[in-house]
Amino acid sequence: MTRALTFALVDALPFALLIVDDRERITWANPVAADLFGRDLVGRTFVTALRQPSVGEALETALTGGGEDRVRLRIQTTRREISAVVTTAPLPADQDMNLPYGGAMVTIEDVTALEDAEAMRRDFVANVSHELRTPLTALMGFIETLRGNARDDPAARDRFLGIMEREAARMNRLVGDLLSLSRVEAEERRVPTTEVDLSAVLKGAMQTLAPTAETRGVALLREGETGRLPVRGDPDQLTQVFANLIENGIKYGGSGGEVRITVTRVAHEPVLRGPALRVEVADKGEGIDEIHLPRLTERFYRVDTHRSREQGGTGLGLAIVKHIVSRHRGRLKIDSRKGEGSRFVIVLPAL
């Protein structure tokens, strides 16, 4: 293998690689290493690029005839702090590599994304377990009571059975939303190809929620563009998106007495690079503090945990909405201020 080909291969590696001589000076750095620690690495002492005692010890071992070593740690780069696996290994003498007396190779693999994914998985499992534990505990407690003191008390029995029914329904909603989220994530990279009438989707969602709105004294108002509004989409998923947003408006913004659904044509949406349909679901409720807005689409994130559970929320609705909109190559915008109501805007590519 020629020297030029060797260096080309090293430059193409997806992780940082440094070659250090016997005096602990850097003689070679690939572009990934330069991106992490700066462009002027060659000629510097290794410790000035990466000042970590554990890595320094591993490097010294490699330079004094020891074997390969691996260290896992947090590293502050020129841009951000990362989690990394640093591997050191001895190298033989090589004039082409500026190693007349031998040296060492140091690789730095950024594993931040892997650690973040693992942390998300742990949090997800913990959240699901927590969400299920409460209704399960309640059900078990009421079953035990019904078998004991309340066995012959019709009034208590009816009251407990009503609570058990609500808790079972809550678990059913949670499992349903988990399955829905799983399906949406599995399909997120497959762009829908079916032509769908957005007007029909909105009409169906509003009709489904009309009884709920009437019970709570909330008016559902449709404004803006009417007639046929074609988009590429999955009709069931789009119905789920708008039903979720309208239902949230009824539940949490119902104090304002109305939920307004407004459709607007956009001649050119810069982000979507073409014509679009903008659907705004707005309420006149108490609104959401701006500090919560960036996290509203996180799984299980709730502004008011107790109120959300009382209303039957699972904490997954807006996460599902975000993934469905992403699958349709659209945009989700949330605008709300405390005391001024909330506006959820979906922008979809138009046909």
Side-chain angles (χ1 to χ4, degrees):
M1 186 180 294
T2 65
R3 182 174 186 270
L5 180 58
T6 299
F7 286 158
L9 289 174
V10 170
D11 283 351
L13 291 173
F15 50 82
L17 185 145
L18 302 169
I19 294 176
V20 183
D21 66 15
D22 61 311
R23 296 178 300 167
E24 297 192 11
R25 290 192 176 276
I26 299 169
T27 63
W28 180 265
N30 71 347
V32 179
D35 187 56
L36 288 178
F37 303 110
R39 298 289 170 183
D40 57 344
L41 287 172
V42 175
R44 289 168 53 186
T45 304
F46 178 80
V47 71
T48 63
L50 184 55
R51 190 183 300 273
Q52 292 285 351
S54 56
V55 177
E57 292 174 7
L59 177 62
E60 186 176 348
T61 300
L63 291 173
T64 55
E68 180 180 304
D69 199 358
R70 180 171 293 185
V71 179
R72 194 180 191 108
L73 73 170
R74 300 285 294 181
I75 294 175
Q76 182 63 51
T77 70
T78 55
R79 296 183 179 180
R80 61 191 177 94
E81 187 178 71
I82 65 171
S83 294
V85 175
V86 181
T87 303
T88 57
L91 290 175
D94 189 319
Q95 295 294 334
D96 287 340
M97 301 296 289
N98 295 323
L99 301 173
Y101 304 105
M105 176 177 65
V106 181
T107 62
I108 301 151
E109 183 181 1
D110 184 352
V111 295
T112 308
L114 292 175
E115 288 197 353
D116 289 348
E118 178 62 20
M120 286 177 63
R121 186 194 67 79
R122 288 196 303 269
D123 289 345
F124 183 70
V125 171
N127 280 321
V128 170
S129 301
H130 176 73
E131 292 292 332
L132 287 173
R133 184 181 296 117
T134 302
L136 280 173
T137 301
L139 286 173
M140 292 171 65
F142 287 128
I143 289 171
E144 183 178 349
T145 303
L146 287 172
R147 283 178 170 173
N149 298 334
R151 177 181 298 176
D152 300 319
D153 186 340
R157 184 171 62 243
D158 288 344
R159 186 173 74 257
F160 292 158
L161 287 173
I163 297 172
M164 292 168 67
E165 183 180 24
R166 288 198 300 272
E167 294 296 339
R170 177 179 160 192
M171 283 195 295
N172 187 56
R173 286 192 299 270
L174 177 60
V175 172
D177 279 355
L178 287 170
L179 291 173
S180 181
L181 182 60
S182 177
R183 285 194 298 268
V184 170
E185 288 182 327
E187 297 174 344
E188 193 166 356
R189 295 187 180 182
R190 296 202 299 269
V191 182
T193 57
T194 305
E195 185 174 312
V196 178
D197 180 8
L198 195 58
S199 281
V201 168
L202 291 171
K203 182 178 179 181
M206 292 175 69
Q207 286 178 340
T208 299
L209 290 164
T212 303
E214 185 177 356
T215 300
R216 294 174 179 256
V218 177
L220 297 183
L221 307 176
R222 167 74 190 278
E223 296 182 341
E225 295 287 337
T226 57
R228 194 168 183 277
L229 301 170
V231 297
R232 299 279 183 203
D234 181 315
D236 292 335
Q237 288 189 349
L238 288 177
T239 299
Q240 186 175 10
V241 165
F242 294 111
N244 183 292
L245 296 181
I246 294 170
E247 185 177 23
N248 281 352
I250 295 169
K251 288 181 177 178
Y252 306 114
S255 58
E258 67 177 45
V259 174
R260 196 174 296 268
I261 300 96
T262 307
V263 184
T264 309
R265 287 186 186 273
V266 181
H268 181 80
E269 169 61 40
V271 176
L272 303 183
R273 299 179 181 179
L277 289 171
R278 181 181 186 274
V279 183
E280 177 183 285
V281 180
D283 63 66
K284 294 184 177 180
E286 56 193 60
I288 305 166
D289 195 313
E290 291 180 89
I291 194 173
H292 297 291
L293 298 185
R295 300 190 60 189
L296 282 183
T297 57
E298 291 181 15
R299 300 170 184 179
F300 297 108
Y301 186 80
R302 295 180 173 96
V303 175
D304 184 337
T305 301
H306 177 72
R307 183 183 177 192
S308 175
R309 287 177 177 156
E310 285 292 315
Q311 298 281 9
T314 63
L316 294 172
L318 288 178
I320 294 172
V321 167
K322 180 186 72 173
H323 284 290
I324 292 176
V325 172
S326 176
R327 185 194 176 204
H328 286 73
R329 301 303 183 259
R331 299 176 63 201
L332 168 65
K333 302 176 184 177
I334 304 173
D335 181 28
S336 185
R337 290 179 178 81
K338 199 69 175 172
E340 297 182 17
S342 302
R343 288 164 294 283
F344 292 81
V345 177
I346 304 292
V347 183
L348 296 171
L351 294 180

